[in-house]
Amino acid sequence: MAPDSQNVGPEMRFAGASLTIDLEALKANYAGLAQVCAPSITAGVVKADAYGLGIDRVAPALADAGCTRFFVALPEEGAALRRAVPDATIYVLNGLFSEESGSLYLEDRLIPVLNSPVDVRLWETFCGVSGDRLPCAINVDTGMNRLGMTVEEALAFAEENALTQAIDPVLVMSHLACADEQTHPMNRRQLESFQQVTAAFPSIESSLVNSAGILLGAEYHGSVTRPGIAVYGGAILPGTANPMRVVVTAEARVAQIRHARAGETVSYGATQTLARDTIIAVAAIGYADGYPRAGSATGVALRQTNRPAGHGSIQGQRVPILGRITMDLTMFDVTDLGPNMVAKGDFIELFGPNLPIDEAAAAAGTISYELLTSLGRRYHRRYVESGR
């Protein structure tokens, strides 16, 4: 691609922070998961603007890697995805909000996931008006108490629709609540409930597992698997080695170097007193950019629970956050790198190859999903293929 087409957001010379998104690593992660899941089909979950990374760039990359099925949360996301991957099968997870929304599904060839008998009636009505049996998916709640029909409602629908043929379900799905706890008894209970439902829909595809659920084994895979965070480089299971390649590197520009004396304080509330003479790198990143305030060194509730504070990385060496993270700026202690080793204009890695995204998220008391989907608009974004 032309260099201009690989850059998004403010020009690098004006940006306080940058994101490097490695599309080759993304494709490799998808291909590896697809190999593990075979012969099941591996779909691409690209809701929330492809986990904050840009659906217009991520979806075509996944399609290049062989992905033909995609899941989004909302119909507008589906419309944007259709422009990016014209020939893909696209499911919309949050279902129908009204009968009028059916026209968007028809126009952009989107498949609604029906989550209740009300959704079924809305889709039946729309299909009647359009004069066609349009495809849909059926979501069943097997224990999460989020979206979905009850098992009893799904079984009743299967029996009724077998007689009326009013709508055309092509997929039945559910979602595991505790897949990242591999030995949790809830996983088996949900599988057994789901199998009860899939038996009532013998001729259509089934889908149950996300990234962590894949590791429960082929019995759980069904026809279609739906890995999300693992494709984007996040850990599949918390507390275990992450086999996925790094997809996203976030870096912040150093706006100023300060020299503070022992006994002085840093940032709002004067909550951190320096124990030594300190070299401070003030970086142009803050909670307005989705860099969580909860990752501060002091002065926020999470730090009162003895959770380790957040870090950055320079030249492969960890540099701790000082004081509170502010809206646009964060202070890092770079003293241990030595004098004159960090200068205005240098970059501090916030997460990436030297600082795993799951570790950066944990320091803020959150998860990699939230960190990615909170990324703001002020980053210079650079899409690369590995080695280019």
Side-chain angles (χ1 to χ4, degrees), residues 185-249:
M186 187 74 168
N187 295 321
R188 174 58 57 175
R189 290 200 297 268
Q190 285 193 262
L191 175 63
E192 291 172 354
S193 293
F194 188 58
Q195 288 173 334
Q196 184 182 0
V197 175
T198 57
F201 294 91
S203 61
I204 70 173
E205 293 181 337
S206 62
S207 180
L208 178 62
V209 299
N210 59 3
S211 296
I214 287 170
L215 299 186
L216 291 169
E219 185 182 13
Y220 285 79
H221 289 177
S223 311
V224 181
T225 62
R226 311 188 307 270
I229 194 63
V231 175
Y232 301 100
I236 300 177
L237 293 178
T240 63
N242 185 3
M244 313 313 295
R245 286 174 56 178
V246 173
V247 173
V248 190
T249 301

Side-chain angles (χ1 to χ4, degrees), residues 148-161:
M149 301 183 192
T150 66
V151 170
E152 292 74 21
E153 288 170 340
L155 295 175
F157 165 73
E159 184 175 349
E160 176 187 344
N161 197 64

Side-chain angles (χ1 to χ4, degrees), residues 23 28 147 235 341:
L23 297 177
L147 287 177
M341 293 302 294

Side-chain angles (χ1 to χ4, degrees), residues 75 95-106 122-123 126:
L96 297 168
F97 295 145
S98 67
E99 183 182 328
E100 291 75 17
S101 66
S103 59
L104 181 58
Y105 287 86
L106 180 60
L122 287 171
W123 194 240
F126 180 76

Side-chain angles (χ1 to χ4, degrees), residues 267-269 271-272 287 292-310 321 323-326 363-365:
S267 197
Y268 284 118
T271 57
Q272 183 165 8
Y287 56 77
R293 183 176 180 272
S296 301
T298 57
V300 296
L302 284 173
R303 296 288 76 75
Q304 297 165 14
T305 63
N306 297 318
R307 185 186 296 274
I321 293 171
R324 287 176 177 163
I325 293 170
T326 72

Side-chain angles (χ1 to χ4, degrees), residues 1 5 9 31 39 60 78 88 128 137 145 152-153 156 170 181 190 196 201 210 230 244 271 314-315 355 377-378:
M1 298 183 200
S5 70
N145 272 315
E152 292 74 21
E153 288 170 340
V170 295
E181 300 177 54
Q190 285 193 262
Q196 184 182 0
F201 294 91
N210 59 3
M244 313 313 295
T271 57
I314 301 178
Q315 303 164 15
L355 187 59
R377 297 178 178 273
R378 302 195 295 189

